[in-house]
Amino acid sequence: MATPDLVSRFSLAPNREISVYGIVLLSDVPKNLTLSSVPHSLDNNDSDPPPEYMLKSVKSNAKNGAFLGLSVKDPLDRILNPIGKFNNRKFLSVFRFKTWWSTMWIGSSGSDLQMETQFVILQVPEINSYVLILPLIEKSFRSAIHPGANGEVVLCVESGSTKVKEKSFSSCMYFHVSENPYDLMRDAFAAVRVHVGTFRLLEEKKPPSIIDKFGWCTWDAFYLTVDPVGVWHGVKSFAENGFPPRFLIIDDGWQSINLDHENPSQDSKELTILGSQMLCRLYRFKENDKFAKYEVGSMLRPDAPKFDKEKYDNLFDEMIGLAKNEPVKEDDSILHEEERLKEGGLKALVSDLKERFPLLDDVYVWHALCGAWGGIRPGTTHLNSKVFPAKLAAGLEKTMSDLAVVMIEKAGIGLVDPNQAADLYEAMHSYLADAGITGVKVDVINTLEYVSEDNGGRVELAKAYYDGLSKSLRKNFNGTGLIASMEQCNDFFFLATKQISMGRVGDDFWFQDPNGDPMGVYWLQGVHMIHCSYNSLWQGQFIQPDWDMFQSDHLCAEFHAGSRAICGGPVFVSDKVGRHNFELLRKLVLPDGTILRCQHYALPTRDCLFENPLFDGKTLLKLWNLNKFGGVVGIFNCQGAGWYPEEQKIKAHPECYKAIPGFVSPADVEWEQKDFTAEYRNNELFAVYLHKAGTFYLTKACDEMNITLEPSSFEIFTVSPVYRLSEKVEFAAVGLVNMFNSGGAVESLEYKLNEKKTFTVVIKIKGSGKFLAYSSMKPKQIKLNNVKTEFEWTSEIGLLKFEVPWTGGELSDAYIYVH
């Protein structure tokens, strides 16, 4: 039902100022801009309409938003239009520092903004509020924000093709206001979802089954040298040491690709160094010869090939150009030249893996959005493919130099006709699904904008490809089996996420600076965390944030592990075979290959939003998340590097790589972001456990606990509400303190009072190890799985501890009888 225009909190005055509640946000607003109330109508043509509760919420918050309109004299394909000026007002923004990767940036003026900014949050302390400025998709155009001179903010509205032009827009940008920055993002994106109708929010979709599990990815273990023997021994190395991967990602290196000058029906013989694959195109949808020649049962035989560490290390070094620059040699130990058996190849490998490792639920494989880095080679498949020159979008000219971009521009992209995009994904994915593959990691997504000139523009081209991808995802991978990567641009989020529900929120995990900076081994890890956490503010509205893999034997492995434990998504590593830190992994992974996952996705705390935890020399990154019966705050010293606009690159700031003081409070947890924890905001007392220090505190809701962190170090605070059962009896369940996310072990928590006025605390516990709780009185007895168990209780502070055995993955029932 259509609704009349509503009075907005925002206004555009005759003196050309945009204000909220009378507070000026932008001055000198050009006369070709308009501001309209939200909504004109909550009706849209969405074939998948929003749920009723969302419609009601959007209607109730309608006054908090407004749309910006724009008109110019003549139709253009790219409009750069100032929208006003601001100075002396703090902002947080996210911008694209590469084609596919975004990161945070702060400042206090429109001129401080960076190119290709995806959103801006303004701090408005005059009314204790925050304002979101969000560029949108409208018609066949997408918008982004650029900096201007003297505080000016410039809106870029572009189609990506000189053949697609417009001169009038009614809603190319959206404004929203809220007193809570996290409500701001949720409510604003709900309003845009209802208005635009081209995407669905995360809350409307089911995430992939890998979300609660531990996995292994082959990328940093093998790069392009990956083969069946290496894959097998990688899974085996984990499983035999008590860490069975529940999912496996076979990354780049399994596909049939070659260069334009090579035989069009044979695998490339010239993949000499890492990066050369970016010049190659896909010539068939089946696996390459390395995998195709795998025979049924080859790795199940008693005489199966052993893992030759030295040989694989040499291959790996050659591939990344650290050794002699020769073609990588195949492993012929199980790759016979005769015709492979009927059920051989990738299908046989997956079948054998699942037979030997029955806990392996999912096997994903990598592919680029256009098939391979260089797309599909013309004339080699049933599809109509043409190589288009790749041209960097104008707004990306001042972004960071990237080898992948250089290679793609050099080779162009073999683009399948957009009308056949659905056929492309069906051809690839139906073959994979038949082979037992349950999902795909789709990479190199944002290259579509490079070839949009002759293909209807970036928005229409993206629609065709994303619609085809979504259709195949529903048919072949249960509607959920996909991780999106290299996708951090608003085109993707506004157009691709009707079905896709998981995506990368950081750039690649780099075990060292590829440019050779010796400090990069350390500071790059902090940069990765900043990317992930701040990107999640907006990307988490659409998809489950994936924080990417890391290596458990890395110098900063524990630093990474602490963040992954509370990120709210899956945990997976890219360890080389046999090179693991199992003691560290034991704090993340349970013996059945599952994890203790938080119930939200990790986000920066309010006091970090407008600060710079990378190189201001004073701010620690704090991340909050929620468990079912408590909260968690991770605090990390990420200082030491960041974006350097003058040189357009990430640059070390060694003067900031030092010990930094900070504090954590129970009030840092955003309890209201889940209904089941909202009541904890009113709690007066909390039990707090520090994982690394092993210390325990009772603290009031707003009390601050001081901490100083050395560079590249962290601490995890598990925050548990204390229940007052009577004047004398108080209780709080902390969780398994041997796990980073201790509170994630508490699956159920009940308090019962029997006829004898004795309290019984009933806890269902996931996992095993030392369980910690606070009890103001010594329990009379504790029964664990119906068996009386020993416990420790410290009278001075009421600290209660008991051991929980592993029960094969079943929840343990703890009955704690308190006076």
Side-chain angles (χ1 to χ4, degrees):
M1 181 177 68
T3 58
D5 282 358
L6 301 170
V7 177
S8 175
R9 314 288 190 199
F10 294 90
S11 63
L12 175 55
N15 65 354
R16 310 309 295 174
E17 291 178 342
I18 292 179
S19 302
V20 62
Y21 288 104
I23 305 299
V24 176
L25 301 175
L26 294 170
S27 62
D28 298 328
V29 178
K31 292 182 179 181
N32 65 331
L33 300 180
T34 60
L35 197 68
S36 59
S37 301
V38 176
H40 299 297
S41 168
L42 288 185
D43 291 336
N44 61 38
N45 298 318
D46 190 356
S47 59
D48 185 15
E52 189 61 31
Y53 78 86
M54 188 179 294
L55 281 171
K56 291 180 179 179
S57 175
V58 170
K59 288 179 181 179
S60 67
N61 287 302
K63 291 185 178 182
N64 294 333
F67 284 112
L68 187 77
L70 164 68
S71 62
V72 293
K73 182 178 179 180
D74 298 311
L76 297 170
D77 63 284
R78 188 168 190 262
I79 302 168
L80 292 171
N81 204 101
I83 64 168
K85 299 179 179 180
F86 76 89
N87 288 290
N88 302 315
R89 184 173 297 283
K90 278 189 170 184
F91 73 78
L92 164 67
S93 67
V94 163
F95 75 99
R96 289 204 284 170
F97 70 95
K98 288 187 180 180
T99 296
W100 20 71
W101 302 132
S102 298
T103 194
M104 64 88 74
W105 190 251
I106 62 168
S108 59
S109 163
S111 298
D112 294 335
L113 291 163
Q114 299 298 297
M115 298 291 286
E116 277 294 302
T117 290
Q118 308 290 284
F119 75 84
V120 178
I121 300 177
L122 298 176
Q123 193 176 46
V124 193
E126 300 96 318
I127 53 173
N128 192 31
S129 294
Y130 307 86
V131 168
L132 173 68
I133 305 178
L134 183 67
L136 299 179
I137 299 286
E138 186 180 0
K139 301 178 183 177
S140 296
F141 286 67
R142 57 80 72 165
S143 299
I145 295 172
H146 294 181
N150 302 316
E152 195 170 64
V153 180
V154 177
L155 179 64
C156 174
V157 185
E158 61 186 346
S159 70
S161 171
T162 57
K163 303 170 185 177
V164 180
K165 300 180 179 182
E166 283 283 352
K167 66 176 183 178
S168 179
F169 303 88
S170 63
S171 53
C172 51
M173 177 176 279
Y174 182 64
F175 292 82
H176 200 90
V177 62
S178 177
E179 295 180 355
N180 181 308
Y182 310 100
D183 291 349
L184 173 76
M185 303 301 282
R186 184 191 65 236
D187 294 343
F189 281 94
V192 173
R193 185 264 189 261
V194 170
H195 177 79
V196 176
T198 58
F199 62 91
R200 288 193 298 162
L201 298 173
L202 174 60
E203 64 194 70
E204 301 176 75
K205 296 175 290 193
K206 182 180 179 182
S209 61
I210 65 173
I211 190 173
D212 292 297
K213 300 172 183 177
F214 169 68
W216 177 59
C217 177
T218 63
W219 182 241
D220 288 308
F222 293 107
Y223 293 149
L224 302 179
T225 68
V226 63
D227 66 9
V229 175
V231 170
W232 184 276
H233 284 283
V235 176
K236 180 173 179 282
S237 181
F238 287 105
E240 291 187 345
N241 285 280
F243 297 88
R246 299 298 292 268
F247 67 92
L248 161 69
I249 301 174
I250 302 175
D251 214 295
D252 197 357
W254 70 273
Q255 290 182 298
S256 297
I257 59 175
N258 54 36
L259 295 161
D260 289 344
H261 67 269
E262 293 183 298
N263 187 319
S265 59
Q266 293 182 1
D267 292 346
S268 176
K269 306 299 182 184
E270 298 184 22
L271 293 179
T272 54
I273 59 172
L274 195 61
S276 56
Q277 81 275 21
M278 298 168 186
L279 300 173
C280 290
R281 311 193 202 285
L282 196 71
Y283 72 88
R284 69 180 179 191
F285 302 122
K286 297 180 180 180
E287 62 272 37
N288 59 28
D289 288 345
K290 287 187 298 181
F291 284 84
K293 293 175 183 177
Y294 179 83
E295 295 183 355
V296 172
S298 294
M299 293 304 297
L300 296 173
R301 298 194 306 251
D303 63 341
K306 306 296 183 183
F307 186 75
D308 187 337
K309 176 181 175 297
E310 183 177 356
K311 182 193 74 173
Y312 278 92
D313 282 351
N314 289 337
L315 287 172
F316 185 90
D317 288 346
E318 289 175 13
M319 179 56 69
I320 59 176
L322 297 179
K324 54 187 177 182
N325 191 18
E326 296 178 354
V328 176
K329 303 176 182 65
E330 282 190 347
D331 171 18
D332 290 324
S333 55
I334 61 168
L335 307 181
H336 304 295
E337 289 303 320
E338 63 268 19
E339 183 178 354
R340 66 186 176 97
L341 297 180
K342 183 179 180 181
E343 294 299 327
L346 187 62
K347 186 171 185 176
L349 176 62
V350 172
S351 177
D352 287 354
L353 281 166
K354 291 191 173 183
E355 179 179 340
R356 176 60 61 88
F357 309 105
L359 289 179
L360 181 62
D361 299 318
D362 289 281
V363 179
Y364 282 36
V365 296
W366 179 99
H367 72 74
L369 182 71
C370 294
W373 282 91
I376 305 295
R377 185 166 178 176
T380 60
T381 72
H382 67 287
L383 300 170
N384 180 19
S385 173
K386 177 182 177 182
V387 175
F388 288 89
K391 183 180 179 182
L392 196 69
L396 294 171
E397 291 175 353
K398 294 185 178 181
T399 54
M400 185 172 172
S401 177
D402 188 345
L403 171 65
V405 173
V406 172
M407 291 293 201
I408 290 170
E409 286 187 303
K410 179 179 179 180
I413 297 174
L415 189 74
V416 168
D417 188 315
N419 293 320
Q420 292 185 313
D423 298 328
L424 166 65
Y425 297 120
E426 172 60 17
M428 287 196 293
H429 295 168
S430 61
Y431 177 80
L432 292 171
D434 180 67
I437 299 299
T438 56
V440 283
K441 175 184 174 183
V442 182
D443 216 350
V444 206
I445 284 178
N446 282 342
T447 48
L448 281 183
E449 65 187 81
Y450 285 20
V451 290
S452 60
E453 169 63 26
D454 295 314
N455 291 285
R458 58 190 295 162
V459 171
E460 298 307 318
L461 178 59
K463 284 180 179 178
Y465 267 75
Y466 296 148
D467 287 350
L469 184 60
S470 295
K471 182 180 179 181
S472 179
L473 178 57
R474 288 190 293 269
K475 177 180 180 291
N476 295 299
F477 300 129
N478 198 33
T480 62
L482 191 150
I483 304 172
S485 181
M486 301 176 74
E487 86 295 8
Q488 293 168 16
C489 178
N490 55 10
D491 300 55
F492 171 83
F493 292 102
F494 286 136
L495 298 172
T497 56
K498 275 214 167 184
Q499 193 66 40
I500 296 171
S501 58
M502 181 177 285
R504 288 269 301 277
V505 289
D507 66 341
D508 290 335
F509 159 75
W510 292 101
F511 55 84
Q512 63 184 24
D513 185 346
N515 297 316
D517 187 333
M519 242 192 84
V521 174
Y522 297 96
W523 61 253
L524 273 173
Q525 319 314 317
V527 170
H528 183 93
M529 288 185 197
I530 298 299
H531 295 336
C532 290
S533 54
Y534 286 86
N535 280 334
S536 292
L537 279 164
W538 70 298
Q539 295 174 20
Q541 308 300 323
F542 304 89
I543 47 92
Q544 174 62 50
D546 164 29
W547 280 49
D548 197 27
M549 54 207 165
F550 68 102
Q551 292 178 310
S552 71
D553 68 337
H554 188 268
L555 286 170
C556 297
E558 188 182 33
F559 194 52
H560 277 284
S563 69
R564 302 311 193 275
I566 64 169
C567 75
V571 173
F572 57 111
V573 294
S574 55
D575 291 1
K576 289 190 174 184
V577 178
R579 301 182 188 180
H580 318 289
N581 183 340
F582 290 125
E583 182 179 352
L584 177 64
L585 290 176
R586 200 165 286 115
K587 298 181 179 184
L588 289 167
V589 186
L590 299 178
D592 62 354
T594 62
I595 61 175
L596 300 181
R597 186 176 67 86
C598 289
Q599 299 301 297
H600 201 270
Y601 46 89
L603 292 173
T605 57
R606 292 192 192 205
D607 55 349
C608 289
L609 291 179
F610 299 92
E611 304 300 329
N612 182 355
L614 279 175
F615 56 94
D616 68 1
K618 63 178 183 178
T619 303
L620 296 173
L621 173 67
K622 292 194 292 185
L623 303 175
W624 65 267
N625 210 330
L626 300 168
N627 288 309
K628 291 180 179 178
F629 295 93
V632 61
V633 178
I635 183 167
F636 301 82
N637 186 345
C638 298
Q639 294 280 335
W643 178 248
Y644 195 65
E646 291 79 2
E647 297 182 19
Q648 298 161 23
K649 68 178 184 179
I650 305 291
K651 183 178 178 180
H653 289 264
E655 72 279 4
C656 299
Y657 199 72
K658 60 184 181 181
I660 304 288
F663 70 88
V664 170
S665 168
D668 288 328
V669 181
E670 296 292 330
W671 303 108
E672 297 86 356
Q673 294 307 306
K674 289 290 184 181
D675 291 341
F676 52 79
T677 55
E679 63 181 290
Y680 302 149
R681 177 62 70 191
N682 299 319
N683 230 64
E684 297 179 358
L685 191 64
F686 290 86
V688 179
Y689 178 76
L690 281 65
H691 177 87
K692 293 194 71 178
T695 53
F696 175 85
Y697 298 97
L698 286 177
T699 182
K700 293 181 179 179
C702 292
D703 284 352
E704 297 176 354
M705 292 160 282
N706 294 320
I707 187 171
T708 296
L709 292 177
E710 294 297 320
S712 301
S713 66
F714 72 101
E715 183 60 272
I716 294 178
F717 292 67
T718 298
V719 184
S720 304
V722 174
Y723 289 81
R724 175 163 290 180
L725 306 179
S726 70
E727 289 186 4
K728 294 183 179 180
V729 180
E730 294 178 335
F731 192 92
V734 174
L736 293 172
V737 295
N738 49 293
M739 306 294 288
F740 279 128
N741 184 27
S742 305
V746 182
E747 284 284 334
S748 176
L749 181 61
E750 294 182 80
Y751 297 93
K752 299 179 179 179
L753 179 64
N754 64 19
E755 296 176 354
K756 298 180 180 179
K757 304 299 181 183
T758 298
F759 288 99
T760 303
V761 182
V762 184
I763 311 174
K764 288 188 178 295
I765 303 168
K766 180 180 180 180
S768 60
K770 187 176 291 295
F771 193 90
L772 186 145
Y774 162 70
S775 180
S776 60
M777 298 190 70
K778 182 178 181 180
K780 295 172 63 177
Q781 186 183 83
I782 296 179
K783 282 188 176 181
L784 193 59
N785 300 322
N786 294 318
V787 177
K788 184 179 178 180
T789 188
E790 298 294 324
F791 64 88
E792 301 174 33
W793 182 76
T794 307
S795 59
E796 304 89 69
I797 194 171
L799 206 56
L800 175 65
K801 299 178 184 178
F802 57 90
E803 289 290 331
V804 179
W806 178 245
T807 57
E810 299 294 325
L811 300 180
S812 289
D813 293 316
Y815 284 77
I816 303 171
Y817 301 93
V818 186
H819 288 288

